[in-house]
Amino acid sequence: MFTVLTHQPCEQAGLKALYRTPAIITLVLLLVSVVILVSVTLIQIHKQEVLSPGLKYGIVLDAGSSRTTVYVYQWPAEKENNTGVVSQTFKCSVKGSGISSYGNNPQEAPKAFEDCMGKVKGQVPAHLHGSTRIYLGATAGMRLLRLQNETAAKEVLASIQSYFKAQPFDFRGAQIISGQEEGVYGWITANYLMGNFLEKNLWHMWVHPHGVETTGALDLGGASTQISFVAGEKVGLNTSDIVQVSLYGYMYTLYTHSFQCYGRNEAEKRFLAMLFQ
Ligand SMILES: *[C@@H]1O[C@H](CO)[C@@H](O)[C@H](O)[C@H]1NC(C)=O
Ligand SMILES: *[C@@H]1O[C@H](CO)[C@@H](O)[C@H](O)[C@H]1NC(C)=O
Ligand SMILES: *[C@@H]1O[C@H](CO)[C@@H](O)[C@H](O)[C@H]1NC(C)=O
């Protein structure tokens, strides 16, 4: 079974057809972004931290090719087998288009964040601002800009970095994630939301669900599309597309591939070009 992740609803007729085609595909229109995983991963990396009671917060900016979305996540300080049980508590869409559209005026890029960042400050208790990590992950739009003009891409990121360094949060970086990372995050998000990693038992404790299989994920972004699924014993898959992830004490071997330029916007462009011919 496959789950389709879309970053935003798509109104274009050309894509409606694309959506309807494969009957085996379960359509899940996600309000939650792919990047929930970035926080899951971050939490894993920082497992050496001393456990303290109470809630922790994390902020993720998903800088897609068509827009940037800010997410606030929260989780109990106590982890389950080294991975946090994360929930999304707030979401804010940054006005205007994606950060890759600021290639000609990089210093303008962070201005659009102000509105959402003001709201985010109200969502996280003030005494936790300094210890709350904030992270920006840019996807295919910035990967394309980097191919076109690397200097411009660097300048956009640098301008965003200096903006976040002046914010009260613990800034952990603004970077362009690879298509492979994006695919893995999409797979984790889909399976996390479907409860394939964790479930509550009769005693309200988190346990690994018995006999549950994971779902494959198709992530239709603006400028790229990712496919990811548990590879199992399948032969003939390109080994450079195989990734291992460890979640809640379990190891998963994934096949993941990103098709650059096969996103929604690119599909629309091709569809229009076809119509004009
Ligand atoms: C690349 O971007 C930089 C900074 O915006 C600009 O000065 C330069 O002219 C651009 N180069 C090309 C080839 O467009
Ligand atoms: C943690 O790992 C143990 C041993 O592998 C397993 O029995 C348990 O279900 C795991 N907990 C969760 C929440 O996955
Ligand atoms: C495997 O993937 C790598 C990197 O994407 C590529 O260079 C290589 O040609 C691929 N090999 C095959 C057999 O498709």
Side-chain angles (χ1 to χ4, degrees):
M1 188 175 65
F2 272 91
T3 301
V4 173
L5 304 169
T6 60
H7 288 170
Q8 59 182 64
C10 168
E11 284 108 29
Q12 265 65 19
L15 278 142
K16 277 189 185 146
L18 197 143
Y19 274 80
R20 283 196 216 105
T21 353
I24 44 152
I25 288 178
T26 319
L27 257 180
V28 180
L29 289 176
L30 286 178
L31 293 173
V32 182
S33 149
V34 158
V35 236
I36 192 176
L37 305 312
V38 175
S39 16
V40 177
T41 321
L42 285 180
I43 302 154
Q44 267 199 295
I45 295 165
H46 301 286
K47 58 188 161 199
Q48 71 276 12
E49 259 174 37
V50 238
L51 293 182
S52 56
L55 289 171
K56 294 196 163 196
Y57 294 82
I59 305 161
V60 173
L61 282 88
D62 175 4
S65 56
S66 28
R67 73 170 63 152
T68 301
T69 312
V70 186
Y71 297 91
V72 176
Y73 299 106
Q74 166 185 302
W75 62 90
E78 202 99 12
K79 282 165 203 156
E80 301 290 337
N81 287 348
N82 290 330
T83 311
V85 180
V86 182
S87 55
Q88 181 189 314
T89 58
F90 181 72
K91 177 190 169 193
C92 180
S93 292
V94 171
K95 288 194 194 74
S97 46
I99 58 168
S100 53
S101 62
Y102 290 92
N104 293 324
N105 49 344
Q107 57 302 330
E108 299 294 311
K111 287 195 181 142
F113 297 165
E114 302 264 353
D115 190 37
C116 280
M117 287 308 294
K119 292 177 185 157
V120 163
K121 281 173 202 156
Q123 294 290 320
V124 179
H127 70 282
L128 294 177
H129 282 181
S131 62
T132 296
R133 295 193 166 93
I134 187 164
Y135 175 93
L136 180 140
T139 56
M142 284 298 282
R143 291 201 286 269
L144 284 176
L145 176 64
R146 185 172 57 187
L147 283 177
Q148 285 158 0
N149 186 338
E150 197 173 351
T151 321
K154 277 193 182 138
E155 284 177 3
V156 168
L157 290 179
S159 133
I160 289 170
Q161 268 151 9
S162 60
Y163 170 80
F164 282 116
K165 280 181 186 151
Q167 295 293 312
F169 302 107
D170 179 10
F171 178 57
R172 309 300 286 199
Q175 53 197 149
I176 302 175
I177 65 169
S178 71
Q180 198 164 55
E181 287 170 303
E182 197 181 353
V184 171
Y185 296 154
W187 179 86
I188 301 174
T189 307
N191 285 283
Y192 186 87
L193 293 174
M194 292 173 86
N196 293 342
F197 297 134
L198 290 174
E199 67 180 12
K200 280 212 162 133
N201 67 9
L202 289 174
W203 299 274
H204 291 280
M205 280 162 62
W206 289 106
V207 291
H208 188 79
H210 184 71
V212 168
E213 290 205 11
T214 56
T215 173
L218 278 173
D219 175 6
L220 182 62
S224 69
T225 289
Q226 284 70 238
I227 182 166
S228 311
F229 52 86
V230 167
E233 298 297 304
K234 290 178 192 71
V235 284
L237 298 174
N238 192 334
T239 48
S240 63
D241 290 330
I242 303 288
V243 194
Q244 291 211 310
V245 284
S246 168
L247 291 161
Y248 305 101
Y250 286 79
M251 188 70 101
Y252 300 87
T253 303
L254 299 182
Y255 170 88
T256 177
H257 193 86
S258 176
F259 298 89
Q260 183 80 2
C261 294
Y262 282 84
R264 195 178 44 245
N265 305 340
E266 311 301 319
E268 277 160 23
K269 275 181 210 157
R270 257 168 242 183
F271 182 68
L272 289 176
M274 208 175 72
L275 287 185
F276 287 129
Q277 279 168 13

